[in-house]
Amino acid sequence: MQEAKRLHACIITSGLQQQEIHLRKLIALYADPRIPSSLSHARLLFDQIQLPSTFIYNTMFRAYAASTDPLQALHLYRQMCRHGTPPDHYTFPFLLKACSSLSHLAQGEEIHSQALKHGFGSDLFVQNSLIFLYGSNNRISVAHQVFDEMGHRDIATWTTLVTCYVDFCSVESARQVFDNMPDRNVVSYSAMIAGYVRKSRFGVALGLFRELVDAKMEPNDSTIMSVLCACANLGALDMGRWIHSSIRQRKGDQFDSLITTALIDMYVKCGSIMNALCVFEGARKKNVGEWTALMSGLAMHGLGRQLIEAFEEMVSSGVKPNAVTFVALLAGCSHSGLVKEGLSYFNRMKLEYGVDPIVEHFGCVVDLLGRAGLIDQAFRFIEEMPVEANAAIWGALFNACRVYKNVEVGEIAARWLMIDEPWNAAIYVSLLGLYREAGRWDQVEKVKEEMKNTVCRKNPGCSLLEVNGFCFEFVAGDRSHPCALEVCKNLSKLIVEFTEN
């Protein structure tokens, strides 16, 4: 920005402000979509040009398409048409990107027609942009039609179609396209891995990551983020450590904020709080993301006092907590039985920190009170909440009622849960247990009858086991795993040896 201003001043004092060669350089420096004030300077300068060239228009189109106000690119294009400035093959990809960002399919179709009219309908970059435009607007069949009609496709073409299927259709369809790709790069692998992670198919995501590594490709930051998320959800600590070591070899010990946060999250979810602390301490800059990830880990491990110390240290360092930070803080107080502290932080959220409580915060308070056995207070809190209680809140109250055998409030909570999730057999089973322990046998029979009349199912138990960096999933009653017979034989031998000894 400062370089652009110095150059601008020099051009003005030299009387060269209308010369194309200088204006190109200056607008290119100003047109930074990451800095709104810089883009505003570019627009002010652009508006002073009597007859902007196609190159200068394209520079503005590119900046606006990547900015928070892509609509300006379409406004400028209309101005370009009025002035008779001819577009070129760079013009339409930027405009189509703006339409995709805005989800303006009708305007995108208009730009498509304009590209055809000017003879750029078969341009590779235009066609790639069209695939994403139609795919991102839920017109996947049209996107595929553009793909099928292309005379030449590159890796970006295939990857764009994969991304559209992943984001706006199904991961299975995306995988079919991915498997048919003649060549793949790290971007195409990353798109597919991210799709599997979003669909909670973490084991498949890790398998695809191993394929990427075997192909001697270097994962990018997007790939790393997705794979760390998969490791966190699978508890794949060995794989997570290997990825951490791999990043450290390439980048040293200083990572960007997003990767640092993902590493902390992975380690705490894999049960290694010490590794998480080491990553946190080594961060070059501790933003709210790093602090919140650490606090979530401390909460998960029941380290309530350390969590509060971390929160106070964060505030003292000048970092402002956000809504997610308070979810971690309140959850930590709940798991550690710090009722007084938790209620105090909840009451101070808005007044001291400017964070409006949302339903997740109210749920944490209900859980806090319920775990402490304050069932009636938790129920009154739900009744007085300014937001409607969701299944998570009623579930927290119901779990507390089961622990403290409060049948009356437990009945109310269970009935709300049944309305929200009538198919969930676990609710009925838990209510049966509550009635049995209270000796309410007439109610037990009624619930059994309800279960017969309601189409509900109980999710089977699932276990995950990591062996040599590979995660194996075992589901109760499922014998489809290729090693199922061998596992059962070895278990039988162990049982026999254990009983004999």
Side-chain angles (χ1 to χ4, degrees):
M1 184 68 169
Q2 293 304 317
E3 180 187 353
K5 287 182 177 179
R6 284 193 295 268
L7 178 61
H8 194 179
C10 184
I11 290 172
I12 292 173
T13 56
S14 303
L16 303 173
Q17 57 267 37
Q18 285 299 323
Q19 290 195 11
E20 169 82 9
I21 188 170
H22 301 298
L23 291 172
R24 283 188 177 196
K25 174 66 173 175
L26 190 55
I27 287 185
L29 286 171
Y30 271 136
D32 188 342
R34 298 168 298 177
I35 309 173
S37 60
S38 178
L39 185 51
S40 300
H41 276 85
R43 182 58 184 270
L44 287 171
L45 180 60
F46 174 87
D47 289 339
Q48 294 171 18
I49 301 172
Q50 294 173 2
L51 288 174
S53 66
T54 302
F55 179 91
I56 291 177
Y57 268 112
N58 287 343
T59 303
M60 295 301 297
F61 293 154
R62 180 178 60 186
Y64 276 126
S67 74
T68 57
D69 190 14
L71 187 60
Q72 292 301 319
L74 303 180
H75 292 330
L76 280 185
Y77 178 65
R78 295 190 184 95
Q79 177 183 316
M80 182 183 190
C81 294
R82 287 195 303 270
H83 290 170
T85 306
D88 62 15
H89 66 287
Y90 291 110
T91 303
F92 296 103
F94 298 140
L95 296 174
L96 290 168
K97 180 180 178 181
C99 293
S100 300
S101 299
L102 292 164
S103 298
H104 278 357
L105 181 59
Q107 292 197 14
E109 290 173 327
E110 182 183 337
I111 298 299
H112 187 178
S113 299
Q114 290 284 314
L116 293 171
K117 174 184 172 183
H118 289 280
F120 299 114
S122 59
D123 179 83
L124 179 63
F125 297 105
V126 172
Q127 290 175 315
N128 287 350
S129 301
L130 284 169
I131 290 172
F132 188 74
L133 169 76
Y134 289 115
S136 62
N137 280 277
N138 203 27
R139 298 283 295 278
I140 198 73
S141 59
V142 181
H144 214 297
Q145 182 181 339
V146 174
F147 176 84
D148 290 338
E149 293 173 354
M150 293 177 70
H152 171 69
R153 306 180 186 115
D154 61 3
I155 289 182
T157 309
W158 287 90
T159 302
T160 302
L161 190 61
V162 168
T163 302
C164 288
Y165 272 112
V166 163
D167 292 342
F168 309 105
C169 190
S170 73
V171 72
E172 289 77 15
S173 299
R175 185 59 187 264
Q176 289 178 6
V177 176
F178 179 83
D179 287 341
N180 288 326
M181 290 181 69
D183 295 296
R184 299 170 190 156
N185 62 10
V186 66
V187 180
S188 48
Y189 270 101
S190 184
M192 201 66 244
I193 291 169
Y196 279 125
V197 169
R198 283 200 294 275
K199 295 295 183 181
S200 298
R201 296 177 63 179
F202 306 112
V204 184
L206 288 186
L208 206 54
F209 176 71
R210 291 189 191 93
E211 187 179 311
L212 178 152
V213 173
D214 291 341
K216 307 300 181 185
M217 295 182 191
E218 187 171 299
N220 58 25
D221 286 356
S222 175
T223 318
I224 294 297
M225 293 287 292
S226 295
V227 176
L228 286 174
C229 179
C231 291
N233 282 277
L234 289 174
L237 181 58
D238 289 344
M239 174 65 83
R241 282 176 174 155
W242 182 85
I243 294 167
H244 187 185
S245 175
S246 174
I247 306 169
R248 196 158 42 205
Q249 287 175 9
R250 289 190 291 113
K251 298 187 176 185
D253 287 323
Q254 300 298 319
F255 317 128
D256 66 29
S257 181
L258 290 175
I259 289 182
T260 301
T261 302
L263 280 168
I264 295 170
D265 182 65
M266 180 274 296
Y267 276 126
V268 297
K269 286 181 178 175
C270 290
S272 182
I273 192 69
M274 293 308 298
N275 275 316
L277 284 166
C278 287
V279 173
F280 177 80
E281 293 298 335
R284 59 186 170 190
K285 186 178 180 182
K286 298 176 178 64
N287 300 307
V288 66
E290 285 89 339
W291 281 104
T292 301
L294 177 67
M295 290 168 61
S296 296
L298 293 170
M300 193 182 300
H301 288 264
L303 304 172
R305 292 295 177 189
Q306 292 92 321
L307 169 62
I308 289 175
E309 289 175 9
F311 177 80
E312 295 298 341
E313 185 180 345
M314 179 191 74
V315 173
S316 299
S317 69
V319 177
K320 185 179 179 181
N322 58 24
V324 183
T325 311
F326 273 101
V327 170
L329 179 61
L330 294 173
C333 290
S334 174
H335 293 161
S336 300
L338 303 174
V339 178
K340 181 180 176 182
E341 292 83 349
L343 292 176
S344 173
Y345 280 120
F346 177 78
N347 293 327
R348 292 161 54 195
M349 275 176 57
K350 174 67 176 174
L351 294 174
E352 292 187 27
Y353 304 103
V355 178
D356 290 310
I358 55 177
V359 67
E360 287 80 5
H361 301 125
F362 289 105
C364 287
V365 173
V366 171
D367 189 54
L368 174 75
L369 295 171
R371 284 174 184 265
L374 304 172
I375 306 295
D376 293 334
Q377 187 176 341
F379 184 60
R380 287 197 303 273
F381 182 82
I382 293 175
E383 291 183 311
E384 296 169 1
M385 288 190 322
V387 297
E388 185 177 352
N390 58 17
I393 291 177
W394 286 115
L397 182 64
F398 184 47
N399 288 334
C401 291
R402 288 170 55 202
V403 171
Y404 290 97
K405 300 179 176 52
N406 189 317
V407 179
E408 288 71 24
V409 178
E411 276 183 317
I412 297 171
R415 292 302 168 187
W416 276 105
L417 287 169
M418 289 174 186
I419 292 171
D420 199 60
E421 299 177 356
W423 45 264
N424 192 343
I427 301 168
Y428 293 88
V429 172
S430 297
L431 185 59
L432 279 174
L434 187 62
Y435 282 139
R436 284 196 187 101
E437 290 182 8
R440 302 271 290 270
W441 301 108
D442 55 334
Q443 295 297 331
V444 169
E445 294 305 317
K446 285 182 180 180
V447 174
K448 285 182 178 179
E449 192 64 31
E450 283 185 62
M451 290 184 71
K452 290 179 184 178
N453 298 330
T454 305
V455 180
C456 58
R457 63 182 184 277
K458 187 176 186 298
N459 292 329
C462 173
S463 297
L464 289 165
L465 183 66
E466 185 182 11
V467 180
N468 296 327
F470 289 84
C471 282
F472 297 91
E473 184 178 54
F474 297 92
V475 179
D478 179 21
R479 298 184 182 277
S480 62
H481 194 281
C483 299
L485 183 60
E486 184 180 353
V487 170
C488 290
K489 286 181 178 178
N490 287 327
L491 278 174
S492 299
K493 289 180 182 177
L494 288 171
I495 291 169
V496 170
E497 290 178 8
F498 180 76
T499 53
E500 287 177 353
N501 294 329

